[in-house]
Amino acid sequence: MNETVALKFPGTGYDTDFYAWSLQQAELLRAGRFDLLDIANMSEEIEALGRRDRAAIKSHIAVLIEHLLKLTVSQAVDPRRGWKISVRNARREIEFLVDDSPSLRRELPALYSLVWRHGVQAAREALADAGDDGAAALIGLADSDAASLVDFEHLLDDSFYPGN
């Protein structure tokens, strides 16, 4: 296992060329050269991979909340198709991420709660910027009232599109 490894990027460090560093670490792993691995930085990067998927899900949930609220309160016709496409895409991306990391499924309700206000705020701002009367409906709502418009149960339901 301790075969000699001809490093493609000798002297390359984590802070100087991340891409080369990652290729080098993978090469060392495959060769079983654990004694040469940059364990501290590898550990951080592995943790960051998990955080990246979680952050992506949070972003998709915020978009879902925003566009489902727009579909609920806006009377505008033209943007509805785009909002529906965005909802479908966000739902699909969440499914892809959860398929790859099933343990994230149990975090979905908590992530929904974490980003709820961001999604509502994004919907309020976008509708107000467009001069849409639906913005007024969201501005006056308490968060608990707005939550009843797009609850967690409907968030990932492929058949749920308000205001159809």
Side-chain angles (χ1 to χ4, degrees), residues 43-58:
S43 299
E44 285 183 34
E45 290 305 317
I46 290 169
E47 287 174 349
L49 289 173
R51 287 191 305 270
R52 180 197 67 201
D53 288 352
R54 189 173 185 272
I57 288 176
K58 283 171 50 178

Side-chain angles (χ1 to χ4, degrees), residues 54-73:
R54 189 173 185 272
I57 288 176
K58 283 171 50 178
S59 177
H60 292 303
I61 289 173
V63 167
L64 277 172
I65 292 166
E66 175 188 356
H67 290 173
L68 288 170
L69 284 172
K70 288 178 183 180
L71 287 166
T72 301
V73 301

Side-chain angles (χ1 to χ4, degrees), residues 100-151:
D100 288 343
S101 299
S103 63
L104 286 171
R105 186 172 303 281
R106 68 176 173 262
E107 289 197 42
L108 292 176
L111 296 176
Y112 166 82
S113 296
L114 276 174
V115 301
W116 172 255
R117 285 196 173 114
H118 300 286
V120 173
Q121 187 63 29
R124 285 176 183 148
E125 291 170 357
L127 291 172
D129 289 348
D132 190 305
D133 292 339
L138 290 178
I139 290 170
L141 281 179
D143 282 340
S144 59
D145 294 330
S148 68
L149 295 176
V150 179
D151 63 5

Side-chain angles (χ1 to χ4, degrees), residues 2 4 14 23 31 34-36 43 50 75 90 94 101 106-107 117 121 127 131 134 136 142 146 160 162:
N2 266 345
T4 303
Y14 176 81
L23 293 176
F34 307 122
D35 56 316
L36 297 177
S43 299
Q75 297 302 312
I94 289 170
S101 299
R106 68 176 173 262
E107 289 197 42
R117 285 196 173 114
Q121 187 63 29
L127 291 172
F160 176 73

Side-chain angles (χ1 to χ4, degrees), residues 1 4-5 36 43 50 78 88 109 112 121 123 148 150 154 157-158 164:
M1 256 297 163
T4 303
V5 177
L36 297 177
S43 299
D78 291 339
R88 275 195 304 271
Y112 166 82
Q121 187 63 29
S148 68
V150 179
H154 289 112
D157 179 353
D158 287 334
N164 280 338

